[in-house]
Amino acid sequence: GAVVSQHPSWVICKSGTSVKIECRSLDFQATTMFWYRQFPKQSLMLMATSNEGSKATYEQGVEKDKFLINHASLTLSTLTVTSAHPEDSSFYICSAPSATENTEAFFGQGTRLTVV
Amino acid sequence: AQSVTQLDSQVPVFEEAPVELRCNYSSSVSVYLFWYVQYPNQGLQLLLKYLSGSTLVKGINGFEAEFNKSQTSFHLRKPSVHISDTAEYFCAVSDRGGAQKLVFGQGTRLTINP
């Protein structure tokens, strides 16, 4: 199947700094990517839809100025957590829809962010 | 809007025993249904999906699930589990318009004991 790669797999940062997470579709193009957040022992919650060439669409309650999303190319979307705080510590996962099968999405391996 | 409820947060099972992970959903429109597995510190891997047709769906690793429209359920089953099945399992739904935008259940941690 198609491969979606996230980088980094884990990151520790200080409060007040910004962290960038990359999501790449390695062998297919993705005009849309999705960013999810997973709190410990909880489910994945959709944060936003990343759209190549246009602004991201954020879910209700997600601060667009805090979670900056840039879909720079057909294979890359980035999520930047700005001015991170400990409550932003979480597991962030991206997904990209299959280019050929419109009912399937491929997930990255996730990024564990710890803000200290 | 859709919602998904996984009734069991944890399920301990002995190796080679059968297992059922329960999932109920709520939606005002027709949906697609999915089961994903997540191994520690990894992303999600699709186990199986229900789109239409036969209500019994077979997936990878010997798993299967049955769609029950009247009970709005999509329970996951495996007749004989292995140690390697220890993982977190997520049930998810999407509407038929934006199939890749998923609403997840809370997850069920399946622990296989020897």
Side-chain angles (χ1 to χ4, degrees), chain B residues 5-13 18-24 35-36 47 63-65 74-78 85 87-91 107-111:
Chain B
T5 301
Q6 290 181 243
L7 298 165
D8 306 297
S9 60
Q10 296 184 63
V11 174
V13 181
V19 69
E20 179 179 80
L21 306 184
R22 296 179 292 170
C23 172
N24 287 89
W35 274 99
Y36 284 88
L47 279 177
F63 285 95
E64 64 179 32
F74 190 55
H75 301 333
L76 180 71
R77 295 191 291 259
K78 186 170 182 177
D85 293 323
E88 190 87 19
Y89 291 79
F90 291 96
C91 181
T108 298
R109 175 161 297 280
L110 177 62
T111 303

PDB file of all heavy atoms in Angstrom, chain B residues 5-13 18-24 35-36 47 63-65 74-78 85 87-91 107-111:
ATOM      1  N   THR B   5     -18.914   4.719  19.449  1.00  0.00           N
ATOM      2  CA  THR B   5     -18.704   4.288  20.820  1.00  0.00           C
ATOM      3  C   THR B   5     -18.123   2.886  20.835  1.00  0.00           C
ATOM      4  O   THR B   5     -18.707   1.952  20.279  1.00  0.00           O
ATOM      5  CB  THR B   5     -20.025   4.278  21.611  1.00  0.00           C
ATOM      6  OG1 THR B   5     -20.592   5.585  21.599  1.00  0.00           O
ATOM      7  CG2 THR B   5     -19.781   3.852  23.052  1.00  0.00           C
ATOM      8  N   GLN B   6     -16.969   2.761  21.441  1.00  0.00           N
ATOM      9  CA  GLN B   6     -16.384   1.448  21.655  1.00  0.00           C
ATOM     10  C   GLN B   6     -16.622   1.106  23.121  1.00  0.00           C
ATOM     11  O   GLN B   6     -16.156   1.811  24.020  1.00  0.00           O
ATOM     12  CB  GLN B   6     -14.903   1.446  21.299  1.00  0.00           C
ATOM     13  CG  GLN B   6     -14.681   1.568  19.802  1.00  0.00           C
ATOM     14  CD  GLN B   6     -13.223   1.540  19.417  1.00  0.00           C
ATOM     15  OE1 GLN B   6     -12.707   2.509  18.877  1.00  0.00           O
ATOM     16  NE2 GLN B   6     -12.553   0.436  19.677  1.00  0.00           N
ATOM     17  N   LEU B   7     -17.358   0.071  23.336  1.00  0.00           N
ATOM     18  CA  LEU B   7     -17.908  -0.194  24.653  1.00  0.00           C
ATOM     19  C   LEU B   7     -16.875  -0.668  25.664  1.00  0.00           C
ATOM     20  O   LEU B   7     -17.093  -0.562  26.869  1.00  0.00           O
ATOM     21  CB  LEU B   7     -19.042  -1.213  24.522  1.00  0.00           C
ATOM     22  CG  LEU B   7     -20.196  -0.700  23.654  1.00  0.00           C
ATOM     23  CD1 LEU B   7     -21.119  -1.830  23.250  1.00  0.00           C
ATOM     24  CD2 LEU B   7     -20.981   0.374  24.397  1.00  0.00           C
ATOM     25  N   ASP B   8     -15.787  -1.203  25.197  1.00  0.00           N
ATOM     26  CA  ASP B   8     -14.778  -1.733  26.107  1.00  0.00           C
ATOM     27  C   ASP B   8     -13.463  -0.990  25.907  1.00  0.00           C
ATOM     28  O   ASP B   8     -12.938  -0.968  24.804  1.00  0.00           O
ATOM     29  CB  ASP B   8     -14.556  -3.231  25.854  1.00  0.00           C
ATOM     30  CG  ASP B   8     -15.850  -4.005  25.927  1.00  0.00           C
ATOM     31  OD1 ASP B   8     -16.455  -4.033  27.007  1.00  0.00           O
ATOM     32  OD2 ASP B   8     -16.260  -4.570  24.886  1.00  0.00           O
ATOM     33  N   SER B   9     -12.946  -0.404  26.965  1.00  0.00           N
ATOM     34  CA  SER B   9     -11.668   0.293  26.841  1.00  0.00           C
ATOM     35  C   SER B   9     -10.504  -0.692  26.861  1.00  0.00           C
ATOM     36  O   SER B   9      -9.468  -0.455  26.262  1.00  0.00           O
ATOM     37  CB  SER B   9     -11.502   1.310  27.961  1.00  0.00           C
ATOM     38  OG  SER B   9     -11.548   0.662  29.222  1.00  0.00           O
ATOM     39  N   GLN B  10     -10.698  -1.811  27.571  1.00  0.00           N
ATOM     40  CA  GLN B  10      -9.647  -2.830  27.636  1.00  0.00           C
ATOM     41  C   GLN B  10     -10.271  -4.210  27.545  1.00  0.00           C
ATOM     42  O   GLN B  10     -11.321  -4.459  28.157  1.00  0.00           O
ATOM     43  CB  GLN B  10      -8.860  -2.727  28.943  1.00  0.00           C
ATOM     44  CG  GLN B  10      -8.097  -1.431  29.119  1.00  0.00           C
ATOM     45  CD  GLN B  10      -7.254  -1.442  30.382  1.00  0.00           C
ATOM     46  OE1 GLN B  10      -6.333  -2.256  30.501  1.00  0.00           O
ATOM     47  NE2 GLN B  10      -7.577  -0.588  31.319  1.00  0.00           N
ATOM     48  N   VAL B  11      -9.616  -5.086  26.800  1.00  0.00           N
ATOM     49  CA  VAL B  11     -10.074  -6.471  26.696  1.00  0.00           C
ATOM     50  C   VAL B  11      -8.876  -7.391  26.852  1.00  0.00           C
ATOM     51  O   VAL B  11      -8.007  -7.424  25.974  1.00  0.00           O
ATOM     52  CB  VAL B  11     -10.769  -6.729  25.342  1.00  0.00           C
ATOM     53  CG1 VAL B  11     -11.103  -8.202  25.190  1.00  0.00           C
ATOM     54  CG2 VAL B  11     -12.043  -5.893  25.229  1.00  0.00           C
ATOM     55  N   PRO B  12      -8.791  -8.105  27.970  1.00  0.00           N
ATOM     56  CA  PRO B  12      -7.727  -9.111  28.138  1.00  0.00           C
ATOM     57  C   PRO B  12      -8.235 -10.475  27.693  1.00  0.00           C
ATOM     58  O   PRO B  12      -9.355 -10.867  28.044  1.00  0.00           O
ATOM     59  CB  PRO B  12      -7.464  -9.069  29.641  1.00  0.00           C
ATOM     60  CG  PRO B  12      -8.779  -8.667  30.232  1.00  0.00           C
ATOM     61  CD  PRO B  12      -9.546  -7.906  29.189  1.00  0.00           C
ATOM     62  N   VAL B  13      -7.414 -11.161  26.931  1.00  0.00           N
ATOM     63  CA  VAL B  13      -7.810 -12.467  26.398  1.00  0.00           C
ATOM     64  C   VAL B  13      -6.602 -13.394  26.446  1.00  0.00           C
ATOM     65  O   VAL B  13      -5.469 -12.944  26.259  1.00  0.00           O
ATOM     66  CB  VAL B  13      -8.288 -12.322  24.934  1.00  0.00           C
ATOM     67  CG1 VAL B  13      -8.736 -13.658  24.377  1.00  0.00           C
ATOM     68  CG2 VAL B  13      -9.430 -11.330  24.844  1.00  0.00           C
ATOM     69  N   PRO B  18     -11.054 -16.885  21.393  1.00  0.00           N
ATOM     70  CA  PRO B  18     -11.739 -15.945  20.489  1.00  0.00           C
ATOM     71  C   PRO B  18     -11.908 -14.586  21.166  1.00  0.00           C
ATOM     72  O   PRO B  18     -11.870 -14.475  22.391  1.00  0.00           O
ATOM     73  CB  PRO B  18     -13.093 -16.618  20.259  1.00  0.00           C
ATOM     74  CG  PRO B  18     -13.328 -17.396  21.516  1.00  0.00           C
ATOM     75  CD  PRO B  18     -11.978 -17.861  21.969  1.00  0.00           C
ATOM     76  N   VAL B  19     -12.101 -13.570  20.354  1.00  0.00           N
ATOM     77  CA  VAL B  19     -12.301 -12.232  20.908  1.00  0.00           C
ATOM     78  C   VAL B  19     -13.312 -11.463  20.059  1.00  0.00           C
ATOM     79  O   VAL B  19     -13.425 -11.679  18.848  1.00  0.00           O
ATOM     80  CB  VAL B  19     -10.972 -11.441  20.971  1.00  0.00           C
ATOM     81  CG1 VAL B  19     -10.466 -11.096  19.569  1.00  0.00           C
ATOM     82  CG2 VAL B  19     -11.130 -10.169  21.798  1.00  0.00           C
ATOM     83  N   GLU B  20     -14.064 -10.598  20.720  1.00  0.00           N
ATOM     84  CA  GLU B  20     -14.968  -9.675  20.026  1.00  0.00           C
ATOM     85  C   GLU B  20     -14.760  -8.285  20.618  1.00  0.00           C
ATOM     86  O   GLU B  20     -14.835  -8.119  21.844  1.00  0.00           O
ATOM     87  CB  GLU B  20     -16.421 -10.094  20.176  1.00  0.00           C
ATOM     88  CG  GLU B  20     -17.383  -9.116  19.482  1.00  0.00           C
ATOM     89  CD  GLU B  20     -18.837  -9.533  19.600  1.00  0.00           C
ATOM     90  OE1 GLU B  20     -19.430  -9.281  20.666  1.00  0.00           O
ATOM     91  OE2 GLU B  20     -19.378 -10.087  18.624  1.00  0.00           O
ATOM     92  N   LEU B  21     -14.500  -7.327  19.781  1.00  0.00           N
ATOM     93  CA  LEU B  21     -14.384  -5.931  20.190  1.00  0.00           C
ATOM     94  C   LEU B  21     -15.614  -5.214  19.660  1.00  0.00           C
ATOM     95  O   LEU B  21     -15.879  -5.231  18.460  1.00  0.00           O
ATOM     96  CB  LEU B  21     -13.104  -5.306  19.626  1.00  0.00           C
ATOM     97  CG  LEU B  21     -11.808  -6.048  19.950  1.00  0.00           C
ATOM     98  CD1 LEU B  21     -10.614  -5.258  19.399  1.00  0.00           C
ATOM     99  CD2 LEU B  21     -11.652  -6.294  21.425  1.00  0.00           C
ATOM    100  N   ARG B  22     -16.320  -4.538  20.576  1.00  0.00           N
ATOM    101  CA  ARG B  22     -17.609  -3.995  20.201  1.00  0.00           C
ATOM    102  C   ARG B  22     -17.514  -2.537  19.749  1.00  0.00           C
ATOM    103  O   ARG B  22     -16.730  -1.752  20.294  1.00  0.00           O
ATOM    104  CB  ARG B  22     -18.580  -4.112  21.372  1.00  0.00           C
ATOM    105  CG  ARG B  22     -18.878  -5.569  21.752  1.00  0.00           C
ATOM    106  CD  ARG B  22     -19.826  -5.641  22.923  1.00  0.00           C
ATOM    107  NE  ARG B  22     -19.212  -5.150  24.168  1.00  0.00           N
ATOM    108  CZ  ARG B  22     -19.880  -4.936  25.281  1.00  0.00           C
ATOM    109  NH1 ARG B  22     -21.194  -5.153  25.324  1.00  0.00           N
ATOM    110  NH2 ARG B  22     -19.248  -4.521  26.365  1.00  0.00           N
ATOM    111  N   CYS B  23     -18.347  -2.217  18.771  1.00  0.00           N
ATOM    112  CA  CYS B  23     -18.392  -0.862  18.229  1.00  0.00           C
ATOM    113  C   CYS B  23     -19.826  -0.528  17.852  1.00  0.00           C
ATOM    114  O   CYS B  23     -20.463  -1.285  17.121  1.00  0.00           O
ATOM    115  CB  CYS B  23     -17.486  -0.741  17.007  1.00  0.00           C
ATOM    116  SG  CYS B  23     -17.639   0.822  16.112  1.00  0.00           S
ATOM    117  N   ASN B  24     -20.314   0.588  18.338  1.00  0.00           N
ATOM    118  CA  ASN B  24     -21.608   1.109  17.918  1.00  0.00           C
ATOM    119  C   ASN B  24     -21.415   2.513  17.372  1.00  0.00           C
ATOM    120  O   ASN B  24     -20.559   3.260  17.847  1.00  0.00           O
ATOM    121  CB  ASN B  24     -22.595   1.123  19.097  1.00  0.00           C
ATOM    122  CG  ASN B  24     -23.065  -0.264  19.454  1.00  0.00           C
ATOM    123  OD1 ASN B  24     -22.451  -0.950  20.267  1.00  0.00           O
ATOM    124  ND2 ASN B  24     -24.139  -0.690  18.824  1.00  0.00           N
ATOM    125  N   TRP B  35     -12.229  -0.513  10.772  1.00  0.00           N
ATOM    126  CA  TRP B  35     -11.469  -0.891  11.961  1.00  0.00           C
ATOM    127  C   TRP B  35      -9.988  -0.708  11.642  1.00  0.00           C
ATOM    128  O   TRP B  35      -9.494  -1.181  10.608  1.00  0.00           O
ATOM    129  CB  TRP B  35     -11.714  -2.345  12.360  1.00  0.00           C
ATOM    130  CG  TRP B  35     -12.908  -2.548  13.247  1.00  0.00           C
ATOM    131  CD1 TRP B  35     -14.152  -2.959  12.864  1.00  0.00           C
ATOM    132  CD2 TRP B  35     -12.969  -2.358  14.663  1.00  0.00           C
ATOM    133  NE1 TRP B  35     -14.984  -3.030  13.955  1.00  0.00           N
ATOM    134  CE2 TRP B  35     -14.289  -2.666  15.077  1.00  0.00           C
ATOM    135  CE3 TRP B  35     -12.037  -1.957  15.631  1.00  0.00           C
ATOM    136  CZ2 TRP B  35     -14.689  -2.598  16.410  1.00  0.00           C
ATOM    137  CZ3 TRP B  35     -12.447  -1.896  16.956  1.00  0.00           C
ATOM    138  CH2 TRP B  35     -13.760  -2.217  17.333  1.00  0.00           C
ATOM    139  N   TYR B  36      -9.310   0.000  12.562  1.00  0.00           N
ATOM    140  CA  TYR B  36      -7.874   0.208  12.442  1.00  0.00           C
ATOM    141  C   TYR B  36      -7.172  -0.387  13.664  1.00  0.00           C
ATOM    142  O   TYR B  36      -7.736  -0.453  14.763  1.00  0.00           O
ATOM    143  CB  TYR B  36      -7.536   1.699  12.388  1.00  0.00           C
ATOM    144  CG  TYR B  36      -7.833   2.367  11.070  1.00  0.00           C
ATOM    145  CD1 TYR B  36      -9.087   2.910  10.808  1.00  0.00           C
ATOM    146  CD2 TYR B  36      -6.850   2.467  10.090  1.00  0.00           C
ATOM    147  CE1 TYR B  36      -9.361   3.524   9.591  1.00  0.00           C
ATOM    148  CE2 TYR B  36      -7.118   3.080   8.876  1.00  0.00           C
ATOM    149  CZ  TYR B  36      -8.371   3.601   8.637  1.00  0.00           C
ATOM    150  OH  TYR B  36      -8.632   4.208   7.440  1.00  0.00           O
ATOM    151  N   LEU B  47      -7.500  -2.544   9.164  1.00  0.00           N
ATOM    152  CA  LEU B  47      -7.795  -3.976   9.285  1.00  0.00           C
ATOM    153  C   LEU B  47      -8.840  -4.404   8.272  1.00  0.00           C
ATOM    154  O   LEU B  47      -8.685  -5.430   7.614  1.00  0.00           O
ATOM    155  CB  LEU B  47      -8.322  -4.294  10.686  1.00  0.00           C
ATOM    156  CG  LEU B  47      -7.341  -4.467  11.829  1.00  0.00           C
ATOM    157  CD1 LEU B  47      -8.109  -4.696  13.119  1.00  0.00           C
ATOM    158  CD2 LEU B  47      -6.377  -5.599  11.568  1.00  0.00           C
ATOM    159  N   PHE B  63      -8.960 -11.210  11.054  1.00  0.00           N
ATOM    160  CA  PHE B  63     -10.080 -10.476  11.643  1.00  0.00           C
ATOM    161  C   PHE B  63     -11.253 -10.390  10.679  1.00  0.00           C
ATOM    162  O   PHE B  63     -11.082 -10.396   9.459  1.00  0.00           O
ATOM    163  CB  PHE B  63      -9.643  -9.060  12.037  1.00  0.00           C
ATOM    164  CG  PHE B  63      -8.810  -9.010  13.278  1.00  0.00           C
ATOM    165  CD1 PHE B  63      -7.417  -9.010  13.193  1.00  0.00           C
ATOM    166  CD2 PHE B  63      -9.400  -8.947  14.528  1.00  0.00           C
ATOM    167  CE1 PHE B  63      -6.643  -8.963  14.341  1.00  0.00           C
ATOM    168  CE2 PHE B  63      -8.632  -8.892  15.679  1.00  0.00           C
ATOM    169  CZ  PHE B  63      -7.252  -8.905  15.591  1.00  0.00           C
ATOM    170  N   GLU B  64     -12.429 -10.290  11.253  1.00  0.00           N
ATOM    171  CA  GLU B  64     -13.638 -10.051  10.485  1.00  0.00           C
ATOM    172  C   GLU B  64     -14.573  -9.176  11.311  1.00  0.00           C
ATOM    173  O   GLU B  64     -14.419  -9.055  12.536  1.00  0.00           O
ATOM    174  CB  GLU B  64     -14.328 -11.362  10.104  1.00  0.00           C
ATOM    175  CG  GLU B  64     -14.840 -12.175  11.287  1.00  0.00           C
ATOM    176  CD  GLU B  64     -15.526 -13.457  10.844  1.00  0.00           C
ATOM    177  OE1 GLU B  64     -15.135 -14.039   9.818  1.00  0.00           O
ATOM    178  OE2 GLU B  64     -16.464 -13.876  11.549  1.00  0.00           O
ATOM    179  N   ALA B  65     -15.515  -8.562  10.641  1.00  0.00           N
ATOM    180  CA  ALA B  65     -16.480  -7.714  11.334  1.00  0.00           C
ATOM    181  C   ALA B  65     -17.822  -7.842  10.638  1.00  0.00           C
ATOM    182  O   ALA B  65     -17.891  -8.106   9.436  1.00  0.00           O
ATOM    183  CB  ALA B  65     -16.020  -6.261  11.349  1.00  0.00           C
ATOM    184  N   PHE B  74     -20.873  -2.552  14.537  1.00  0.00           N
ATOM    185  CA  PHE B  74     -19.840  -3.060  13.614  1.00  0.00           C
ATOM    186  C   PHE B  74     -18.767  -3.719  14.485  1.00  0.00           C
ATOM    187  O   PHE B  74     -17.660  -3.226  14.627  1.00  0.00           O
ATOM    188  CB  PHE B  74     -19.276  -1.910  12.777  1.00  0.00           C
ATOM    189  CG  PHE B  74     -18.387  -2.353  11.628  1.00  0.00           C
ATOM    190  CD1 PHE B  74     -18.834  -3.255  10.683  1.00  0.00           C
ATOM    191  CD2 PHE B  74     -17.112  -1.817  11.473  1.00  0.00           C
ATOM    192  CE1 PHE B  74     -18.038  -3.647   9.614  1.00  0.00           C
ATOM    193  CE2 PHE B  74     -16.296  -2.189  10.403  1.00  0.00           C
ATOM    194  CZ  PHE B  74     -16.765  -3.108   9.480  1.00  0.00           C
ATOM    195  N   HIS B  75     -19.121  -4.844  15.053  1.00  0.00           N
ATOM    196  CA  HIS B  75     -18.228  -5.523  15.992  1.00  0.00           C
ATOM    197  C   HIS B  75     -17.129  -6.291  15.272  1.00  0.00           C
ATOM    198  O   HIS B  75     -17.369  -6.932  14.242  1.00  0.00           O
ATOM    199  CB  HIS B  75     -19.019  -6.484  16.888  1.00  0.00           C
ATOM    200  CG  HIS B  75     -20.091  -5.831  17.696  1.00  0.00           C
ATOM    201  ND1 HIS B  75     -20.046  -4.504  18.092  1.00  0.00           N
ATOM    202  CD2 HIS B  75     -21.275  -6.320  18.181  1.00  0.00           C
ATOM    203  CE1 HIS B  75     -21.129  -4.204  18.791  1.00  0.00           C
ATOM    204  NE2 HIS B  75     -21.887  -5.284  18.857  1.00  0.00           N
ATOM    205  N   LEU B  76     -15.955  -6.262  15.849  1.00  0.00           N
ATOM    206  CA  LEU B  76     -14.774  -6.931  15.283  1.00  0.00           C
ATOM    207  C   LEU B  76     -14.550  -8.248  16.002  1.00  0.00           C
ATOM    208  O   LEU B  76     -14.634  -8.309  17.230  1.00  0.00           O
ATOM    209  CB  LEU B  76     -13.546  -6.027  15.452  1.00  0.00           C
ATOM    210  CG  LEU B  76     -12.217  -6.547  14.919  1.00  0.00           C
ATOM    211  CD1 LEU B  76     -12.225  -6.549  13.383  1.00  0.00           C
ATOM    212  CD2 LEU B  76     -11.070  -5.675  15.437  1.00  0.00           C
ATOM    213  N   ARG B  77     -14.229  -9.280  15.236  1.00  0.00           N
ATOM    214  CA  ARG B  77     -14.049 -10.603  15.847  1.00  0.00           C
ATOM    215  C   ARG B  77     -12.829 -11.302  15.262  1.00  0.00           C
ATOM    216  O   ARG B  77     -12.410 -11.044  14.118  1.00  0.00           O
ATOM    217  CB  ARG B  77     -15.278 -11.478  15.602  1.00  0.00           C
ATOM    218  CG  ARG B  77     -16.558 -10.994  16.262  1.00  0.00           C
ATOM    219  CD  ARG B  77     -17.624 -12.061  16.180  1.00  0.00           C
ATOM    220  NE  ARG B  77     -18.097 -12.257  14.817  1.00  0.00           N
ATOM    221  CZ  ARG B  77     -19.224 -11.758  14.332  1.00  0.00           C
ATOM    222  NH1 ARG B  77     -19.973 -10.999  15.100  1.00  0.00           N
ATOM    223  NH2 ARG B  77     -19.586 -12.012  13.100  1.00  0.00           N
ATOM    224  N   LYS B  78     -12.277 -12.185  16.087  1.00  0.00           N
ATOM    225  CA  LYS B  78     -11.224 -13.083  15.612  1.00  0.00           C
ATOM    226  C   LYS B  78     -11.392 -14.390  16.374  1.00  0.00           C
ATOM    227  O   LYS B  78     -11.510 -14.376  17.600  1.00  0.00           O
ATOM    228  CB  LYS B  78      -9.832 -12.495  15.844  1.00  0.00           C
ATOM    229  CG  LYS B  78      -8.716 -13.334  15.228  1.00  0.00           C
ATOM    230  CD  LYS B  78      -7.377 -12.634  15.237  1.00  0.00           C
ATOM    231  CE  LYS B  78      -6.328 -13.514  14.567  1.00  0.00           C
ATOM    232  NZ  LYS B  78      -4.995 -12.846  14.487  1.00  0.00           N
ATOM    233  N   ASP B  85      -1.295  -9.945  18.360  1.00  0.00           N
ATOM    234  CA  ASP B  85      -2.505  -9.129  18.190  1.00  0.00           C
ATOM    235  C   ASP B  85      -2.634  -8.075  19.289  1.00  0.00           C
ATOM    236  O   ASP B  85      -3.545  -7.231  19.236  1.00  0.00           O
ATOM    237  CB  ASP B  85      -3.755 -10.011  18.181  1.00  0.00           C
ATOM    238  CG  ASP B  85      -3.830 -10.915  16.971  1.00  0.00           C
ATOM    239  OD1 ASP B  85      -3.428 -10.458  15.872  1.00  0.00           O
ATOM    240  OD2 ASP B  85      -4.281 -12.067  17.106  1.00  0.00           O
ATOM    241  N   ALA B  87      -2.563  -4.838  20.871  1.00  0.00           N
ATOM    242  CA  ALA B  87      -2.507  -3.516  20.239  1.00  0.00           C
ATOM    243  C   ALA B  87      -3.760  -2.741  20.638  1.00  0.00           C
ATOM    244  O   ALA B  87      -4.611  -3.236  21.377  1.00  0.00           O
ATOM    245  CB  ALA B  87      -2.431  -3.648  18.717  1.00  0.00           C
ATOM    246  N   GLU B  88      -3.830  -1.519  20.134  1.00  0.00           N
ATOM    247  CA  GLU B  88      -5.020  -0.683  20.318  1.00  0.00           C
ATOM    248  C   GLU B  88      -5.838  -0.775  19.038  1.00  0.00           C
ATOM    249  O   GLU B  88      -5.288  -0.687  17.933  1.00  0.00           O
ATOM    250  CB  GLU B  88      -4.599   0.767  20.570  1.00  0.00           C
ATOM    251  CG  GLU B  88      -5.723   1.684  21.004  1.00  0.00           C
ATOM    252  CD  GLU B  88      -5.938   1.682  22.518  1.00  0.00           C
ATOM    253  OE1 GLU B  88      -5.030   1.272  23.251  1.00  0.00           O
ATOM    254  OE2 GLU B  88      -7.030   2.088  22.947  1.00  0.00           O
ATOM    255  N   TYR B  89      -7.136  -0.943  19.182  1.00  0.00           N
ATOM    256  CA  TYR B  89      -8.010  -1.096  18.025  1.00  0.00           C
ATOM    257  C   TYR B  89      -9.029   0.041  18.017  1.00  0.00           C
ATOM    258  O   TYR B  89      -9.673   0.327  19.041  1.00  0.00           O
ATOM    259  CB  TYR B  89      -8.720  -2.459  18.060  1.00  0.00           C
ATOM    260  CG  TYR B  89      -7.765  -3.611  17.826  1.00  0.00           C
ATOM    261  CD1 TYR B  89      -6.960  -4.074  18.855  1.00  0.00           C
ATOM    262  CD2 TYR B  89      -7.641  -4.191  16.567  1.00  0.00           C
ATOM    263  CE1 TYR B  89      -6.053  -5.104  18.647  1.00  0.00           C
ATOM    264  CE2 TYR B  89      -6.740  -5.224  16.348  1.00  0.00           C
ATOM    265  CZ  TYR B  89      -5.953  -5.674  17.392  1.00  0.00           C
ATOM    266  OH  TYR B  89      -5.052  -6.687  17.180  1.00  0.00           O
ATOM    267  N   PHE B  90      -9.168   0.665  16.864  1.00  0.00           N
ATOM    268  CA  PHE B  90     -10.076   1.784  16.720  1.00  0.00           C
ATOM    269  C   PHE B  90     -11.129   1.491  15.673  1.00  0.00           C
ATOM    270  O   PHE B  90     -10.816   1.081  14.552  1.00  0.00           O
ATOM    271  CB  PHE B  90      -9.327   3.059  16.315  1.00  0.00           C
ATOM    272  CG  PHE B  90      -8.438   3.609  17.389  1.00  0.00           C
ATOM    273  CD1 PHE B  90      -7.089   3.300  17.401  1.00  0.00           C
ATOM    274  CD2 PHE B  90      -8.952   4.425  18.378  1.00  0.00           C
ATOM    275  CE1 PHE B  90      -6.263   3.808  18.387  1.00  0.00           C
ATOM    276  CE2 PHE B  90      -8.130   4.938  19.369  1.00  0.00           C
ATOM    277  CZ  PHE B  90      -6.786   4.620  19.377  1.00  0.00           C
ATOM    278  N   CYS B  91     -12.364   1.747  16.049  1.00  0.00           N
ATOM    279  CA  CYS B  91     -13.473   1.708  15.106  1.00  0.00           C
ATOM    280  C   CYS B  91     -13.684   3.136  14.598  1.00  0.00           C
ATOM    281  O   CYS B  91     -13.518   4.104  15.367  1.00  0.00           O
ATOM    282  CB  CYS B  91     -14.716   1.199  15.823  1.00  0.00           C
ATOM    283  SG  CYS B  91     -16.196   1.057  14.807  1.00  0.00           S
ATOM    284  N   GLY B 107     -11.278   3.734  21.258  1.00  0.00           N
ATOM    285  CA  GLY B 107     -10.230   2.725  21.199  1.00  0.00           C
ATOM    286  C   GLY B 107     -10.428   1.631  22.228  1.00  0.00           C
ATOM    287  O   GLY B 107     -10.994   1.848  23.309  1.00  0.00           O
ATOM    288  N   THR B 108      -9.983   0.432  21.880  1.00  0.00           N
ATOM    289  CA  THR B 108      -9.997  -0.716  22.783  1.00  0.00           C
ATOM    290  C   THR B 108      -8.609  -1.327  22.813  1.00  0.00           C
ATOM    291  O   THR B 108      -8.068  -1.677  21.761  1.00  0.00           O
ATOM    292  CB  THR B 108     -11.002  -1.797  22.321  1.00  0.00           C
ATOM    293  OG1 THR B 108     -12.325  -1.257  22.335  1.00  0.00           O
ATOM    294  CG2 THR B 108     -10.945  -3.010  23.242  1.00  0.00           C
ATOM    295  N   ARG B 109      -8.073  -1.419  24.005  1.00  0.00           N
ATOM    296  CA  ARG B 109      -6.753  -2.032  24.130  1.00  0.00           C
ATOM    297  C   ARG B 109      -6.927  -3.529  24.298  1.00  0.00           C
ATOM    298  O   ARG B 109      -7.498  -3.990  25.289  1.00  0.00           O
ATOM    299  CB  ARG B 109      -5.995  -1.446  25.314  1.00  0.00           C
ATOM    300  CG  ARG B 109      -4.649  -2.127  25.564  1.00  0.00           C
ATOM    301  CD  ARG B 109      -3.731  -1.284  26.407  1.00  0.00           C
ATOM    302  NE  ARG B 109      -3.373  -0.029  25.749  1.00  0.00           N
ATOM    303  CZ  ARG B 109      -2.441   0.103  24.817  1.00  0.00           C
ATOM    304  NH1 ARG B 109      -1.767  -0.966  24.411  1.00  0.00           N
ATOM    305  NH2 ARG B 109      -2.180   1.268  24.304  1.00  0.00           N
ATOM    306  N   LEU B 110      -6.454  -4.271  23.333  1.00  0.00           N
ATOM    307  CA  LEU B 110      -6.516  -5.734  23.380  1.00  0.00           C
ATOM    308  C   LEU B 110      -5.194  -6.268  23.893  1.00  0.00           C
ATOM    309  O   LEU B 110      -4.143  -5.990  23.308  1.00  0.00           O
ATOM    310  CB  LEU B 110      -6.809  -6.292  21.981  1.00  0.00           C
ATOM    311  CG  LEU B 110      -6.832  -7.815  21.845  1.00  0.00           C
ATOM    312  CD1 LEU B 110      -7.935  -8.430  22.714  1.00  0.00           C
ATOM    313  CD2 LEU B 110      -7.017  -8.214  20.381  1.00  0.00           C
ATOM    314  N   THR B 111      -5.267  -6.993  24.985  1.00  0.00           N
ATOM    315  CA  THR B 111      -4.066  -7.580  25.580  1.00  0.00           C
ATOM    316  C   THR B 111      -4.205  -9.090  25.528  1.00  0.00           C
ATOM    317  O   THR B 111      -5.182  -9.648  26.041  1.00  0.00           O
ATOM    318  CB  THR B 111      -3.889  -7.128  27.028  1.00  0.00           C
ATOM    319  OG1 THR B 111      -3.837  -5.700  27.058  1.00  0.00           O
ATOM    320  CG2 THR B 111      -2.614  -7.702  27.618  1.00  0.00           C
TER     321      THR B 111
END
